[in-house]
Amino acid sequence: MNPIAQVGLDNFSKNYIKTDEITEAEGILVRSASMHEMELPDGLLAVARAGAGVNNIPLEKCAEKGIVVFNTPGANANGVKELVIAGMLLASRDVVSGINWVKENQEDENIAKDAEKAKKKFAGTEVMGKRLGIIGLGAIGVKVANVARHLGMEVLGYDPYVSVDAAWKLSRDVRHVLDVNEIYEQCDYITIHVPLMDSTKNMISAEAISRMKDGVILLNFARDLLVDEEAVLDGITAGKIRYVSDFPNPVTAGKPGCIVIPHLGASTEESEENCAVMAVRQLQEYLENGNILHSVNFPDCDMGVCTAESRVVIFHKNIANMIAKFSSVLGWNNLNIANMMNKSKGDVAYTMVDLESHVSGSIVNQLKTIDGVFRVRVVK
């Protein structure tokens, strides 16, 4: 539904056919195109988002139809990390104002001499020795934290849900705080790296800004709606805060105290290629083997390549006795289970079953009639 880097598409085998007809698609690759108004075809099995954010995809609607939605966490993390560091340095040294001064005085024959007089206004401060607060220690937050440590900064990180994998990759010199207010109150720079959800919308509020140190630089390369930008403008007027973002909109674009650039965080050639490769591989792994890796609406579930006679996967509600009901149907039909895995995520669950015999259409229909089942798919 969007241009996808060819290096990713080249991973598809000759068994895959690209179609421009959504109604024919079993898999969809997407970047930013909105799918909320789409009529999702009955044959659609999976959507792979070549990027991290999935607010352009109707997750609940997909879950109810047994359509797996993937994203590519970490594939674009380095590109975003580099832009965050660039934004921090731009704001610290007031580079943008300096560039604008040179443009405004480009016809001045004495520009070199006059620049020596004017440069004090743009000199700024160094980041070494300053305190950086990172809200969200996922793939991007961890990379920003580690680079900041190499820049000689003191780093505080807040993430109540930090994963074991992220924790292993995080520099041991980063101080993990349990209260986000410690970051608001203690840090010279604050950067936010959390997903946009109802619980995180406008989390950087007027109240949060009031707790921050005077002169703090706030960086938002995650999602614009995480920040109450009207409150940011009030904070800028009060001399409290400066703001750096790659989400241009009428609220902050061109406003004093704001450095706003196009949404470039994950737009590097390398990031787009990494996302494309990861999205294609996830899509293939699910379509060919039924394995779910990095889904946002169903649990991750991986049984490798099926070596039994057949593999059936079942999407269903996360309620009691579902496994017993599946086993009963298979037992009544004299089908022996070679392997089974069940994982849940919130209100939904996913069950993979490898069987020693062929699964007929009538057995699939029996499984579909079980109350709470969304979809049954025979992978092999």
Side-chain angles (χ1 to χ4, degrees):
M1 292 182 66
N2 297 106
I4 302 294
Q6 190 61 42
V7 69
L9 300 178
D10 288 344
N11 282 273
F12 282 122
S13 70
K14 62 182 180 181
N15 296 323
Y16 289 81
I17 300 171
K18 183 182 176 182
T19 178
D20 293 325
E21 296 295 328
I22 292 295
T23 55
E24 298 176 348
E26 293 176 287
I28 287 177
L29 285 165
V30 64
R31 283 180 59 82
S32 57
S34 177
M35 297 181 62
H36 286 283
E37 305 304 320
M38 275 182 58
E39 186 66 37
L40 300 175
D42 291 337
L44 182 62
L45 300 175
V47 176
R49 158 78 163 100
V54 289
N55 52 312
N56 58 320
I57 303 170
L59 300 182
E60 189 173 336
K61 184 178 177 181
C62 286
E64 291 171 354
K65 293 175 71 72
I67 299 170
V68 184
V69 179
F70 299 97
N71 69 344
T72 56
N76 58 14
N78 189 70
V80 179
K81 172 208 75 179
E82 290 185 358
L83 199 63
V84 171
I85 299 300
M88 185 165 61
L89 295 173
L90 284 171
S92 299
R93 302 299 294 269
D94 203 7
V95 175
V96 174
S97 296
I99 291 171
N100 290 338
W101 184 92
V102 172
K103 286 183 177 179
E104 292 164 2
N105 293 273
Q106 59 184 314
E107 303 298 332
D108 181 3
E109 293 182 357
N110 298 311
I111 188 171
K113 183 182 293 184
D114 292 341
E116 287 300 309
K117 298 175 183 177
K119 69 180 184 181
K120 290 183 179 180
K121 294 187 293 184
F122 319 122
T125 59
E126 298 178 14
V127 299
M128 184 175 180
K130 303 300 190 301
R131 189 172 286 165
L132 171 66
I134 301 175
I135 302 173
L137 293 171
I140 297 169
V142 166
K143 286 183 177 292
V144 172
N146 292 343
V147 170
R149 284 296 303 139
H150 287 298
L151 290 173
M153 304 185 76
E154 181 182 349
V155 181
L156 279 64
Y158 170 77
D159 191 333
Y161 309 108
V162 63
S163 69
V164 173
D165 183 58
W168 274 110
K169 294 176 181 177
L170 191 64
S171 167
R172 63 181 181 181
D173 294 325
V174 174
R175 180 154 64 92
H176 189 205
V177 301
L178 302 178
D179 185 350
V180 71
N181 288 313
E182 289 188 53
I183 285 178
Y184 294 152
E185 294 165 2
Q186 298 180 27
C187 292
D188 306 294
Y189 302 82
I190 297 173
T191 182
I192 183 168
H193 300 286
V194 299
L196 178 61
M197 303 180 292
D198 288 341
S199 60
T200 59
K201 186 176 181 181
N202 282 341
M203 69 176 297
I204 305 297
S205 60
E207 196 276 334
I209 292 171
S210 72
R211 291 177 174 269
M212 296 179 188
K213 295 175 64 175
D214 290 345
V216 66
I217 293 174
L218 175 65
L219 302 114
N220 178 17
F221 291 85
R223 284 288 178 267
D224 53 348
L225 296 179
L226 296 170
V227 176
D228 181 347
E229 292 187 328
E230 294 288 355
V232 164
L233 294 184
D234 291 340
I236 291 171
T237 301
K240 179 85 174 177
I241 189 173
R242 283 177 286 162
Y243 186 55
V244 187
S245 170
D246 67 342
F247 295 98
N249 60 60
V251 179
T252 55
K255 298 297 193 299
C258 297
I259 298 175
V260 184
I261 63 175
H263 187 47
L264 299 176
S267 296
T268 63
E269 180 180 343
E270 295 88 347
S271 286
E272 291 191 0
E273 290 182 351
N274 291 340
C275 288
V277 169
M278 189 172 178
V280 167
R281 288 176 177 170
Q282 290 171 166
L283 197 59
Q284 286 187 110
E285 185 61 33
Y286 172 67
L287 294 176
E288 295 174 17
N289 298 308
N291 296 318
I292 297 178
L293 306 172
H294 296 303
S295 173
V296 293
N297 65 340
F298 280 100
D300 286 3
C301 201
D302 184 0
M303 291 213 313
V305 176
C306 178
T307 56
E309 180 65 24
S310 60
R311 173 172 288 177
V312 178
V313 299
I314 308 168
F315 298 85
H316 55 94
K317 292 181 179 179
N318 183 22
I319 52 179
N321 297 320
M322 295 301 285
I323 302 301
K325 292 176 182 179
F326 302 154
S327 300
S328 295
V329 168
L330 298 172
W332 292 334
N333 289 279
N334 296 314
L335 291 176
N336 191 47
I337 297 173
N339 199 3
M340 175 185 281
M341 181 176 288
N342 170 265
K343 298 284 185 178
S344 62
K345 187 172 188 174
D347 295 331
V348 299
Y350 184 66
T351 299
M352 304 178 70
V353 187
D354 285 356
L355 300 162
E356 295 181 352
S357 305
H358 173 72
V359 180
S360 66
S362 63
I363 296 173
V364 170
N365 288 332
Q366 290 174 47
L367 291 170
K368 286 181 178 178
T369 60
I370 296 174
D371 188 38
V373 170
F374 305 137
R375 185 174 212 155
V376 179
R377 177 179 167 233
V378 179
V379 178
K380 176 184 175 184

